[in-house]
Amino acid sequence: MADKKAQLVIEGAAPVELPILTGTVGPDVIDVRGLGATGHFTFDPGFMATASCESKITYIDGDKGILLHRGYPIEQLAEKSDYLETCYLLLNGELPNAEQKAQFVSTVKNHTMVHEQLKSFFNGFRRDAHPMAVMCGVVGALSAFYHDSLDINNPQHREISAVRLVAKMPTLAAMVYKYSMGQPMMYPRNDLSYAENFLHMMFNTPCEIKPISPTLAKAMDRIFILHADHEQNASTSTVRLAGSSGANPFACIAAGIAALWGPAHGGANEAVLTMLDEIGDVSNIDKFIAKAKDKNDPFKLMGFGHRVYKNRDPRATVMKQTCDEVLRELGIKNDPQLELAMRLEEIALTDPYFIERSLYPNVDFYSGIILKAIGIPTSMFTVIFALARTVGWISHWKEMLSSPYKIGRPRQLYTGYEARDIVKLEDRK
Ligand code: CMC
């Protein structure tokens, strides 16, 4: 909706009127699409002041610490919903009624197995490969198996690809883990819930099937909910950009996984544990805090700060509570790494450097600790983030394809050479 207008005055030219668009909540945005006609573009590396698209899925108010999915606060979803219900909400716009939920859960369960031949892909990877390297490969490879649903212009195909991705990600993630361990891969069990089934495929073996702890399954489900979507972050924007060229959904999600891998994004929960290992002991904390504050040192406190949340990360609040529940259930009291994490949290929350810059613990700080306590190896943390975020990525991909869209093609401020002629090799200095 465009009511107000902004005026841009470019020296030596007539003023340009730019419409101001208003969303349901959140700041207004200046529509600069018409600016290209004046021979000018906007310059905004890192998208610090640019809305790349219109979306109805997720709203974040970073200053107030608010995260809404389709209008529902994340705290309520974590408390009163479950992951598959949240998936339905993100994909379809509304929470399901009982019948719709049963139907959706059953459809997802129908698609939990992966093509048997996909297993042979794993043998091409070294067993010590990083699980995210294998995930990028095997998720991209899904496009070679599910040709029957690759027509991106067909809404039914988009739907079935979305369900396939949500259903198969836990299976693939667990296969990646089992391959790294040299253990037999476990088939999914459709009598279990989504989170229970994931823990079953991760930790059970054909010779020993142990029951899954309800507390750990609940914690896992919460981790999935809290990572399900986060509006236009780096990986989601990557999925949208890849999708805007008409690439198939499996290829787009593989691109999202690659973008998520970096330590400034999804790799942060792994980086938290690596950092705790590096710090080693409570007595070294001061040294590392000093490093984090030193402008000449690239070291940052992993799990602290956020591009959008400049007050608190609402997901971190729920995660902290789940963290306490899991540690209680597992009877973990005197874990030195945990003690270190809690001390670090305390110092960072009281140190003026962190307060002035609003560097609060983010969701990855606590999720890393929970995953470690559950017994998930550090290198699998980002894989779990990717598993949970797949529904967000695919919801954004579907949203983009459901209305008119253009291929994403940013402009640039060129500061390289002007045109010049090639000098013959023998004459070059
Ligand atoms: N430790 C120490 N100093 C920090 C940290 C940190 N973790 N994060 C930011 N700063 C400082 C930064 O040096 C800068 O200081 P100054 O104003 O003196 O130059 C100031 O705080 C502002 O930081 P910024 O880098 O401009 O903020 P950003 O919005 O570009 O970066 C971030 C956000 C998440 C990349 C960054 O805070 C960071 O690298 N954090 C650690 C990695 C991490 O935990 N990432 C997970 C984010 S949550 C998962 C997700 O949603 O993807």
Side-chain angles (χ1 to χ4, degrees):
M1 188 185 299
D3 301 327
K4 295 184 277 179
K5 287 196 180 354
Q7 220 181 43
L8 181 71
V9 181
I10 302 173
E11 234 175 62
V16 188
E17 282 221 327
L18 300 167
I20 297 185
L21 310 179
T22 308
T24 29
V25 267
D28 291 347
V29 302
I30 302 171
D31 181 350
V32 295
R33 281 175 292 184
L35 203 57
T38 69
H40 292 85
F41 298 107
T42 52
F43 180 62
D44 184 21
F47 297 103
M48 300 293 285
T50 296
S52 62
C53 64
E54 184 187 329
S55 181
K56 293 183 168 55
I57 300 175
T58 291
Y59 173 73
I60 301 174
D61 184 330
D63 293 330
K64 295 194 184 127
I66 292 173
L67 168 60
L68 310 176
H69 291 322
R70 304 282 191 185
Y72 295 107
I74 191 66
E75 295 86 345
Q76 286 189 32
L77 289 167
E79 186 64 34
K80 299 179 179 166
S81 177
D82 60 38
Y83 180 66
L84 282 185
E85 219 175 78
T86 305
C87 288
Y88 185 99
L89 174 71
L90 289 168
L91 288 165
N92 300 302
E94 294 296 338
L95 282 168
N97 62 27
E99 196 186 324
Q100 288 164 330
K101 182 171 177 181
Q103 178 63 47
F104 182 69
V105 171
S106 147
T107 310
V108 169
K109 285 186 173 178
N110 247 313
H111 287 281
T112 47
M113 282 200 297
V114 293
H115 194 291
E116 200 60 14
Q117 217 173 317
L118 198 77
K119 266 192 192 169
S120 51
F121 267 76
F122 286 85
N123 296 326
F125 289 97
R126 285 171 54 137
R127 297 239 179 217
D128 62 356
H130 193 287
M132 283 296 275
V134 187
M135 279 307 273
C136 289
V138 294
V139 173
L142 291 177
S143 34
F145 288 89
Y146 301 103
H147 296 139
D148 60 340
S149 60
L150 291 186
D151 179 0
I152 60 159
N153 298 315
N154 181 327
Q156 270 94 40
H157 281 210
R158 297 201 291 264
E159 199 63 47
I160 194 71
S161 290
V163 169
R164 276 186 170 141
L165 275 156
V166 170
K168 293 182 199 308
M169 283 301 276
T171 314
L172 289 173
M175 286 168 89
V176 167
Y177 174 59
K178 289 296 196 192
Y179 182 73
S180 74
M181 298 289 286
Q183 286 184 5
M185 291 166 178
M186 298 295 287
Y187 285 109
R189 267 184 51 192
N190 289 350
D191 58 321
L192 300 177
S193 74
Y194 193 85
E196 281 170 340
N197 177 46
F198 175 62
L199 293 173
H200 156 74
M201 292 187 291
M202 284 287 290
F203 296 119
N204 280 333
T205 62
C207 51
E208 193 174 10
I209 306 280
K210 290 192 229 140
I212 305 298
S213 145
T215 309
L216 299 193
K218 185 175 150 209
M220 205 66 243
D221 197 74
R222 279 228 169 130
I223 289 182
F224 292 157
I225 295 176
L226 295 180
H227 287 88
D229 190 44
H230 214 226
E231 54 115 305
Q232 313 307 326
N233 52 76
S235 57
T236 304
S237 301
T238 301
V239 171
R240 279 189 180 255
L241 199 56
S244 76
S245 75
N248 75 69
F250 303 108
C252 295
I253 299 304
I257 293 174
L260 186 76
W261 193 354
H265 191 11
N269 51 12
E270 177 176 348
V272 169
L273 269 286
T274 311
M275 177 189 73
L276 293 178
D277 272 343
E278 208 189 328
I279 298 176
D281 190 80
V282 178
S283 62
N284 294 327
I285 288 184
D286 287 349
K287 197 172 80 196
F288 280 87
I289 295 271
K291 265 166 78 67
K293 293 180 190 176
D294 183 355
K295 284 275 148 281
N296 300 315
D297 192 322
F299 176 79
K300 280 192 172 170
L301 270 196
M302 287 295 132
F304 288 82
H306 200 274
R307 167 56 67 83
V308 181
Y309 295 119
K310 299 301 179 194
N311 177 332
R312 70 181 178 100
D313 181 343
R315 303 167 302 169
T317 315
V318 181
M319 263 299 121
K320 187 172 165 50
Q321 188 194 330
T322 306
C323 188
D324 294 341
E325 282 168 23
V326 167
L327 299 175
R328 222 180 6 256
E329 156 92 5
L330 295 173
I332 299 175
K333 279 196 200 104
N334 303 317
D335 181 278
Q337 208 172 36
L338 195 67
E339 198 192 324
L340 191 60
M342 295 305 134
R343 184 80 192 108
L344 204 60
E345 178 199 27
E346 196 182 306
I347 293 178
L349 287 174
T350 48
D351 187 305
Y353 173 93
F354 292 90
I355 294 171
E356 279 157 22
R357 289 168 181 75
S358 302
L359 300 172
Y360 295 90
N362 58 46
V363 66
D364 288 326
F365 183 72
Y366 299 107
S367 66
I369 297 168
I370 300 175
L371 291 173
K372 190 201 166 221
I374 292 179
I376 291 173
T378 318
S379 60
M380 280 295 293
F381 288 5
T382 317
V383 171
I384 287 168
F385 192 160
L387 181 177
R389 182 56 58 85
T390 292
V391 71
W393 290 331
I394 204 74
S395 301
H396 283 272
W397 174 82
K398 271 182 72 204
E399 179 178 65
M400 182 179 73
L401 294 191
S402 307
S403 32
Y405 65 97
K406 278 187 162 318
I407 184 167
R409 177 48 172 100
R411 305 301 297 229
Q412 63 170 4
L413 171 65
Y414 178 70
T415 52
Y417 284 108
E418 290 183 27
R420 53 184 180 154
D421 293 320
I422 292 182
V423 176
K424 277 197 274 177
L425 184 62
E426 56 272 30
D427 297 338
R428 286 181 218 160
K429 289 184 190 135

